[in-house]
């Protein structure tokens, strides 16, 4: 089992190896019974958003459905999710 905080500061890369930066924050939906992760806030814009310096920028948020696997210190996402 992983904790949400264990995903923070991990490198986010595409399956072909292109680096998108680090995961600085997570997005989620809270239902009556659980919290569901919906996205990763990545890169410089994700860091600024985490600090509250600027608003939500969809180009810096990777949908959780794009995550292929978590491997070592990396979160690997589908190539087409970073466009």
């Amino acid at each position: 089992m992983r904790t949400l905080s264990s995903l923070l500061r991990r490198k986010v890369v595409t399956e072909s190896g292109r680096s998108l930066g680090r995961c600085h924050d997570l997005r989620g939906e809270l239902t009556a019974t659980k919290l569901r992760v919906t996205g990763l806030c990545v890169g410089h814009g994700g860091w600024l958003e985490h600090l509250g310096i600027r608003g939500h920028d969809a180009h810096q948020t990777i949908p959780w459905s794009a995550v292929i696997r978590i491997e070592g210190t990396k979160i690997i996402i589908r190539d087409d999710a970073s466009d």
Side-chain angles (χ1 to χ4, degrees), residues 2 9 14 16 19 21 29-30 33 35 39 43 46-49 52 57 59 63 66 75 81:
R2 295 194 189 275
R9 293 176 297 285
T14 63
S16 62
S19 177
E29 289 180 358
L30 184 60
T33 59
L35 173 66
W47 176 242
L48 293 175
E49 186 176 331
D57 182 355
H59 297 291
I75 300 171

Side-chain angles (χ1 to χ4, degrees), residues 4-79:
L4 294 177
S5 62
S6 73
L7 300 175
L8 298 177
R9 293 176 297 285
R10 286 182 188 252
K11 293 177 185 175
V12 179
V13 297
T14 63
E15 56 192 326
S16 62
R18 186 165 61 102
S19 177
L20 301 177
R22 293 190 182 270
C23 175
H24 293 293
D25 212 347
L26 301 163
R27 292 282 171 255
E29 289 180 358
L30 184 60
T31 67
T33 59
K34 62 184 173 181
L35 173 66
R36 186 174 73 88
V37 176
T38 60
L40 306 170
C41 296
V42 177
H44 183 71
W47 176 242
L48 293 175
E49 186 176 331
H50 175 76
L51 295 174
I53 294 174
R54 71 176 190 185
H56 179 71
D57 182 355
H59 297 291
Q60 300 298 331
T61 302
I62 305 294
W64 182 255
S65 60
V67 174
I68 296 172
R69 66 185 175 279
I70 299 169
E71 182 177 279
T73 61
K74 295 179 185 175
I75 300 171
I76 302 168
I77 65 163
R78 290 189 328 266
D79 282 325

